[in-house]
Amino acid sequence: MDSVLGNWPSYDPHNFSQLRTSDPSRSSKMAPATYHSIHNRDVPPADQVINTEHKNILLREIYRRAEEKIDLIALPSPSQLTPKRAASDNLIPEHGSKQPRVST
Amino acid sequence: MFFKSSNITARIFDRQICTPAPGTSVHYARKFYENLVPSYTVYEVECPDHSFRKFTDDGQYLISFSRNLQELIVYRPRWLSFSCKDEDCDNHDLPLKAKRFESFFTQLYCVPLASCNELICKDFFLYMESNKFGLFATSTAQVHDALAVGGAVQGVPSIEKITFHLLRLEDGFVLDEKVFCNDFVNLAHNMGVFLYDDLLAIVSLRYQIIHILQIRDSGNLVHVRAIGEFCREDDELFLNSNAQGMALSDKNKQQQLLGNHIDNNIHQAQPNPGNSFLSGIKQRLLSFMFRGLWNEETDDTLRVQKIRQKFYFHFQDYCDLIIWKVQFLDRHHLLIKFGSVDGGVSRHADTHPAFVAVYNMDTTEIVSFYQNSADELYMLFEQFCDHFYATSRNSMHMNFISSHSNNIHALEQLRSIKDKASSSSQFMKKMLSSLPFSCQSLSPSPYFDQSLFRFDDKLISATDRHKQSTDHPIKFILRRHPYSLRFKIKPGPEAGSMDGRAKKISWFLFHPVLPLALSVQQTLIMQPPLVNISVVNIHFRR
C-alpha cells in the first residue's frame, strides 16, 4: 500500500487501502472547501473593541440579579392586563377646564 | 488517553515536550508537588522562644513575635546545605547541625513595636506582596464597660490606643503608623481589617465607621474616606452648612416668639444634625429596603400592608443594626455584614441574626441586601466562593487556593455535608456565617490543594487557626493514581506525648512554595503549675 503512512504494520492491511494521497487527481478533492458566510451577521461592527471586563464575575452576577428584580417589578402582573381600547374621538371632555364648586 | 507516569523524571521529560492545556500551567506545575513532599521530620527542634505567626505569602519571610509580645522578629527561610563525602549519602543520618532551627532560618532583624503598656496583637498580620510591606497592630488593654460617648455604640468595649504599624520587611524599617484612640477594632485573626491590593478597610466597631486607607508605594498610609456617618466626602460639609442656616432661622423665630409671647416659655431646641439623623450608611440601607419592598407590589393597599408588616414592624431593629465585619469584593465594592450589638463582639455570632449588604463606595449605593440564611446568597457562595476571597489580581498563586467553587473534591465534600445536614436553612446559615471572609486567612501552599492531596481537615487545613491535636500523624493521601499515602505530618514529640489525656492544640505554618513546614503543638496543662509546653517540629523534603 503506497500511502503517506508508509508500509507501517497495521491490524488489518485493508484498512488504508482506499487512501491514495499520492494521487494528484484526488488531492484537490481532499482539500475541504473554504467556508464563505452568506449572511452578514458575523461581520463585527467597525468600532468593536474587545477587552477584559473590569467587574469580576461575582459582582456581575449580583448586579444581574438586582436588575432582574427591578425588571420583574416593571412587568405588569397578569391580572392587571386589560385589553386595549381605542381612544374616544373627543379626547377633551365636555368640561375642559376646572369647574367652580357647587355652593351648598 | 495515554497514561501519564507519576515518576518525577518522566514528568520532567514530559514538561520538555508537552504544552499544558490553556489556562492550566499552574495546575500542571503543581503536579510536581506530588513528588516533592515534606516527608522528613525533625522533632522537637530547639528554637528561640517566639510565637511564630506565619510565612509571608511569597515565602520570603517568617514572621514571629517575642514571647512578651513587644518585639517583632523576622527570619529568612533558607535550605539546609551541607556536603557528604561518602558515596552512599542517602542512608546517612543528617548531621547534628541540620537539626537546628538556625539551619533553616536566618534571623534578619528584631524590631520593638510595642511600648511599655502595649502588646502586639499576635494574631494580626497583613502582607502587601507587591511592595513587601507588612502591617502589624499593637494595642493597650481592653476596657469592657466603656461609656458610650461621642457617637460610640453602647455595648462595644473600648481600647485606649490601637496602633497600626506599616513596616518594610526587607529591613524592618517602620514606614508609617495609624493610631485609633478610645476605639475598638477586632484584631484577632485579621477580622476587623481587610487588605485588597493597596486599599485597607479598617472597621471601627465602636464608632461604626469603615475607614478606607491607601498604602502608597512610598509607605505612607493615606486616608481615602470614612464610611459610616457620612457616605460621600462632602456630606458633612453639606449638613453642617444647612445646620448653620437652620440654627440662624430658628434663632430669629425664637426671638420673634419671645417678643410676642413673653409669658409663654417656648423653648426651641437647637437642631443637632448628629443626633436627629440616622448615619449615612444606615439611611442608604433603610431606603434600599423600603424601595425594594415598595416595588414588590403594584397595588397600593398591598404595598402599604407589606411595608407595615415587613419594614415598619421591625424598624427599630433595623435601625439598631451595627456593622460587624467588612471585606472588599473589588476596588469599588464592599461586602458589609450587619447584626445586632450583642453579636458584634461575641465569639458565637451564629445564633444572632445577621444581614449582608453589597455597597458600592463610588456611587454610595447599596446594590443588594440579604439575610444571613438567604438561598440566593448561598447560591452565590456555592458558585463563586473563590471570588469572595478577593485576592488581588497581581498575586498569582493566591488565586489558586482550593475552594468548593474551583475544586470538584471540595465541592463533593460540601455537598455531602449539605445532604447530611438535618436542616438546610441551618446549614446555609452556618456556611454563610463565614462571610465576609477574613483577609489572608488561607495558606497558598500546594499541599492543601484538594486536587493533589486528601487529608483530614479537622486536624489540618489551609486556615491558620489552631486545630485539635492527636498523637497520630496526619496523613496526606494522593488524589490521583496510585491513590497512596504520600507523606505524614506529625506534630509533637516523636514518641507521642507523656500524658495522653492533656488537651493539645497544634497549628501549622506551611511555606507557600518550598516543601517546608513548621508544626507547633501546645499542651495545656490545667493543673498547677499552669504551663504551656510548646513543641516545634520541622517537616521538609530531605
Side-chain angles (χ1 to χ4, degrees):
Chain A
M1 157 186 74
D2 188 21
S3 71
V4 180
L5 299 167
N7 290 321
W8 291 3
S10 63
Y11 188 68
D12 181 357
H14 296 292
N15 272 344
F16 300 104
S17 58
Q18 300 294 317
L19 190 66
R20 289 277 183 273
T21 51
S22 54
D23 186 355
S25 63
R26 279 192 70 86
S27 58
S28 55
K29 288 177 195 169
M30 290 297 289
T34 314
Y35 171 69
H36 294 283
S37 70
I38 52 171
H39 59 84
N40 60 359
R41 274 178 291 153
D42 50 318
V43 174
D47 55 350
Q48 184 184 68
V49 173
I50 300 174
N51 50 20
T52 316
E53 167 81 44
H54 287 289
K55 244 189 248 174
N56 71 36
I57 196 171
L58 170 65
L59 281 165
R60 263 186 273 156
E61 184 66 20
I62 291 173
Y63 272 95
R64 188 189 68 85
R65 287 178 191 225
E67 275 156 30
E68 232 174 46
K69 280 185 197 159
I70 296 169
D71 287 342
L72 276 173
I73 292 150
L75 288 169
S77 60
S79 58
Q80 289 180 342
L81 280 170
T82 51
K84 285 182 181 171
R85 294 169 288 117
S88 56
D89 287 344
N90 185 14
L91 289 167
I92 301 167
E94 195 182 357
H95 302 286
S97 55
K98 285 183 183 171
Q99 300 299 305
R101 198 191 301 179
V102 176
S103 55
T104 49
Chain B
M1 291 291 282
F2 69 100
F3 172 69
K4 283 200 176 180
S5 170
S6 56
N7 175 285
I8 188 169
T9 325
R11 278 184 165 163
I12 293 173
F13 283 134
D14 274 343
R15 191 171 64 172
Q16 287 178 319
I17 50 175
C18 296
T19 324
T24 61
S25 49
V26 173
H27 303 96
Y28 192 76
R30 273 195 168 186
K31 280 194 207 169
F32 281 101
Y33 283 98
E34 289 178 355
N35 301 93
L36 304 167
V37 293
S39 49
Y40 189 82
T41 308
V42 178
Y43 291 96
E44 295 179 84
V45 175
E46 254 192 50
C47 58
D49 187 27
H50 298 320
S51 167
F52 297 109
R53 175 69 180 92
K54 72 187 283 194
F55 285 101
T56 52
D57 290 332
D58 55 6
Q60 299 274 339
Y61 307 101
L62 173 67
I63 306 292
S64 59
F65 304 114
S66 60
R67 197 51 77 180
N68 61 2
L69 297 178
Q70 301 258 309
E71 290 170 337
L72 162 72
I73 305 108
V74 173
Y75 294 92
R76 169 86 65 188
R78 62 189 183 100
W79 207 252
L80 287 183
S81 59
F82 59 91
S83 59
C84 182
K85 286 184 196 159
D86 297 341
E87 282 185 2
D88 192 12
C89 291
D90 281 346
N91 292 335
H92 280 274
D93 272 340
L94 287 177
L96 274 175
K97 69 168 185 176
K99 301 191 180 185
R100 280 180 17 228
F101 184 81
E102 289 75 28
S103 307
F104 290 92
F105 300 98
T106 324
Q107 181 171 325
L108 291 177
Y109 50 82
C110 175
V111 171
L113 281 183
S115 57
C116 46
N117 62 341
E118 290 175 339
L119 290 176
I120 300 175
C121 177
K122 69 174 164 77
D123 291 326
F124 181 87
F125 168 62
L126 285 175
Y127 184 60
M128 192 181 164
E129 204 176 319
S130 46
N131 295 357
K132 296 191 176 22
F133 292 161
L135 191 73
F136 302 90
T138 57
S139 66
T140 53
Q142 216 177 59
V143 173
H144 283 278
D145 297 320
L147 291 170
V149 289
V153 173
Q154 182 70 40
V156 177
S158 169
I159 296 177
E160 201 187 314
K161 186 179 175 195
I162 302 174
T163 316
F164 290 99
H165 306 262
L166 186 71
L167 266 79
R168 191 171 53 211
L169 287 180
E170 279 166 332
D171 52 8
F173 183 72
V174 180
L175 294 162
D176 203 353
E177 281 176 6
K178 184 92 176 112
V179 180
F180 290 83
C181 289
N182 297 316
D183 204 337
F184 187 79
V185 179
N186 212 340
L187 293 169
H189 298 286
N190 305 342
M191 271 173 54
V193 184
F194 201 93
L195 177 69
Y196 179 78
D197 265 351
D198 57 347
L199 291 178
L200 198 62
I202 300 176
V203 180
S204 154
L205 269 179
R206 194 160 148 76
Y207 295 104
Q208 287 295 294
I209 301 176
I210 305 168
H211 297 273
I212 308 285
L213 300 156
Q214 190 184 23
I215 303 178
R216 289 279 162 88
D217 287 338
S218 56
N220 291 329
L221 284 167
V222 176
H223 194 263
V224 174
R225 49 164 67 105
I227 302 164
E229 203 177 326
F230 306 108
C231 290
R232 290 188 198 273
E233 286 92 8
D234 54 356
D235 280 352
E236 192 175 1
L237 180 66
F238 181 77
L239 285 170
N240 283 345
S241 59
N242 275 350
Q244 283 171 8
M246 278 162 67
L248 275 172
S249 69
D250 275 346
K251 263 189 189 160
N252 290 337
K253 275 190 207 166
Q254 209 171 356
Q255 281 169 354
Q256 277 179 350
L257 284 165
L258 283 172
N260 293 337
H261 305 277
I262 304 164
D263 297 328
N264 294 344
N265 292 325
I266 299 170
H267 297 283
Q268 292 271 352
Q270 285 281 0
N272 190 347
N275 288 342
S276 60
F277 287 121
L278 287 168
S279 68
I281 185 95
K282 200 66 74 61
Q283 287 200 21
R284 290 281 192 278
L285 184 65
L286 291 170
S287 55
F288 177 83
M289 286 163 62
F290 182 91
R291 276 186 287 118
L293 287 168
W294 186 260
N295 291 333
E296 268 176 27
E297 300 289 340
T298 41
D299 183 63
D300 277 342
T301 36
L302 285 173
R303 267 180 176 172
V304 171
Q305 202 177 40
K306 193 159 206 174
I307 287 288
R308 205 182 293 148
Q309 274 175 344
K310 294 199 173 176
F311 186 69
Y312 285 114
F313 191 65
H314 303 287
F315 186 74
Q316 197 51 49
D317 294 330
Y318 289 136
C319 282
D320 293 339
L321 285 175
I322 60 162
I323 300 172
W324 276 0
K325 202 171 168 191
V326 159
Q327 71 159 93
F328 280 101
L329 289 175
D330 71 353
R331 285 185 81 87
H332 311 285
H333 294 86
L334 291 173
L335 187 77
I336 307 176
K337 191 171 197 176
F338 291 93
S340 63
V341 181
D342 306 320
V345 281
S346 84
R347 284 172 153 242
H348 305 286
D350 298 355
T351 49
H352 299 269
F355 303 90
V356 167
V358 177
Y359 175 75
N360 185 327
M361 289 197 291
D362 297 333
T363 61
T364 71
E365 280 174 5
I366 301 267
V367 179
S368 53
F369 180 74
Y370 308 98
Q371 185 154 18
N372 204 23
S373 51
D375 288 348
E376 207 178 299
L377 183 63
Y378 178 76
M379 289 318 293
L380 287 172
F381 176 74
E382 198 179 87
Q383 287 169 13
F384 304 110
C385 180
D386 40 355
H387 287 94
F388 279 106
Y389 282 117
T391 47
S392 142
R393 285 185 191 188
N394 299 330
S395 161
M396 191 195 67
H397 55 270
M398 293 299 285
N399 290 318
F400 292 91
I401 296 177
S402 282
S403 71
H404 54 255
S405 306
N406 62 18
N407 192 289
I408 188 78
H409 304 285
L411 181 64
E412 272 170 15
Q413 228 171 19
L414 179 75
R415 292 260 163 92
S416 73
I417 300 172
K418 189 178 176 185
D419 294 335
K420 282 185 209 162
S422 50
S423 152
S424 108
S425 66
Q426 278 294 96
F427 166 78
M428 284 197 282
K429 200 172 170 185
K430 188 178 166 206
M431 286 292 126
L432 293 172
S433 64
S434 54
L435 281 182
F437 285 125
S438 298
C439 189
Q440 295 180 9
S441 56
L442 293 179
S443 165
S445 170
Y447 299 107
F448 293 122
D449 191 335
Q450 295 274 7
S451 52
L452 296 177
F453 297 103
R454 184 162 58 91
F455 47 86
D456 185 351
D457 64 2
K458 287 192 207 60
L459 297 174
I460 194 169
S461 74
T463 52
D464 61 357
R465 296 279 179 137
H466 298 184
K467 301 270 182 191
Q468 218 180 355
S469 184
T470 61
D471 279 332
H472 305 288
I474 302 166
K475 297 181 188 170
F476 281 72
I477 300 166
L478 283 177
R479 285 272 188 197
R480 275 188 269 256
H481 186 85
Y483 312 106
S484 55
L485 169 68
R486 197 66 191 85
F487 67 100
K488 295 186 212 176
I489 298 274
K490 187 181 184 320
E494 187 169 5
S497 61
M498 303 293 276
D499 186 1
R501 292 164 301 158
K503 188 178 172 194
K504 295 184 283 283
I505 51 167
S506 52
W507 60 97
F508 304 91
L509 285 73
F510 271 73
H511 194 277
V513 178
L514 300 171
L516 172 70
L518 277 177
S519 66
V520 184
Q521 188 191 65
Q522 218 170 46
T523 314
L524 308 164
I525 297 177
M526 292 301 160
Q527 295 139 9
L530 287 164
V531 167
N532 284 348
I533 304 173
S534 281
V535 172
V536 176
N537 294 349
I538 298 182
H539 312 269
F540 67 102
R541 180 180 181 259
R542 198 182 135 154

